[in-house]
Amino acid sequence: MLSFFPTPYPHELWYSVIARYHKHCGTLSWQATVEHLFNGSKSANVGSFFPNETIHQVLAQLPSGFFDPKDIAINHTLLPFLMRFQPTGKKEAHLQEFLDGKDMQPRYLRATRKIKPRSLRYCPLCCQGDIQTYEEAYWHREHQIGLMPLCPHHHCRLQDEIIPNTRPLGAQYLPLDGKENEQPDYSALDYEQELTDTLYTYLIMPFEIGPNIKADNLARAIENAGLLCEDSIRKQAFDTERLYAALTEKYGKEITAHYFGDHITKAHALRQRHFLIYSAEEYALLTVLVDQKPDVIFSNEQIPLELEEHMKELAESHILYKAGAAKLLGIKTDRLLPYAKRFGIEPFWPQSGVRKEKSNTKTYAVTLNLSPNELAELDTFIEEKGMGAYSHALRFFFETGLDKWKRENEF
């Protein structure tokens, strides 16, 4: 039995708890602490940031019920973040396997990638607050998400504490000391605050929450951003080349290549759309790219498709000209009918190949005398409405004016 073991602080990384134990128990070497805590082992897996056997090994030496292993797994490791995009049933099954004493690191789960893998990270202001509250600083788990650029609490840049040797993190216990006088760095790139908020939301949401495949909100946001293949009206496949270029433009080559490689394959994009890729970092980069709030990807409520909403508005107007409608929608003319079919909208423009009955009604030419300002206003109106000729505008005014006159006179 252990005669002493520190209580974890709020959101303290499990590794940090072990490091504080080493600091306070007074052992002369890391090796002595490893052997004392982990049944004579030469090393322990406390540096993985996954829940693992080290939690059970320590709890076995403490009074029954002293700590809850589920609480440690969910609140003192990166488990909720690393499994955020797993199906709810699968993630709960893996958690139960851990509680039953099985290995928590199946091969397809990878630890969060880092740009600087040989470091732990900290926020100077968190260090100062921890010392004021607890008289010592500690490693916060949220700061160890490799892609996290800023502290989610103080919005200053996270600092790297380089691991001073080549030993694995689980073989050495480094407490967070001597950072309380450092000044915070508030410099940030334009996307970094939104990215920080997204990553932190993924971490602190209830463990069971997972992505909503039926709502398909990530794909809908990517479509709204104009990043679908032009010929993919029915399948809505991502334009992977333009998507990769947009990611590179926003985040730079280093981050994009680190998380997506040198390109995005169509197979990867398809798997991503169906949430068969489990990397929370990739989803964070994609959702921030298309300006989607972090909780929307998990919502049951679908976000609107901007093209569909715009097309419905046009269908309710008096625009009857195909080329003009396509121009207003920002799509090619031959895409108008396929999109209308996809959205369940009846064509609201004349259909080519549709025979019209011949009319014996006589038509007349009309001459209008307009001032330059009036002509400019008329030209602007025609362009906004997607009309192709002045006669279209005249018919529009006649139809709408006649309808209004009939309503006012109860016809």
Side-chain angles (χ1 to χ4, degrees), residues 194-212:
E194 189 178 357
L195 181 60
T196 295
D197 293 342
T198 297
L199 294 167
Y200 188 57
T201 299
Y202 289 174
L203 175 66
I204 64 174
M205 295 175 79
F207 177 71
E208 65 274 7
I209 291 180
N212 191 307

Side-chain angles (χ1 to χ4, degrees), residues 53 89 95 99 116 119 161 178 188 194 212 236 239 283 289 338 348 366 379:
E53 70 280 359
L95 176 59
L99 297 177
K116 298 179 179 178
S119 68
E161 179 71 1
E194 189 178 357
N212 191 307
Q236 299 104 57
D239 187 327
Y283 290 105
L289 173 69
F348 49 92
V366 176
D379 287 338

Side-chain angles (χ1 to χ4, degrees), residues 311-351:
M311 185 173 283
K312 287 179 178 178
E313 291 175 1
L314 293 186
E316 295 296 325
S317 72
H318 285 71
I319 298 174
L320 303 175
Y321 310 101
K322 188 174 183 180
K327 182 179 179 181
L328 289 175
L329 292 169
I331 61 177
K332 295 180 179 179
T333 305
D334 61 356
R335 304 287 191 270
L336 192 60
L337 183 58
Y339 271 118
K341 289 181 177 179
R342 176 186 165 194
F343 299 143
I345 298 173
E346 289 294 326
F348 49 92
W349 61 91
Q351 298 297 290

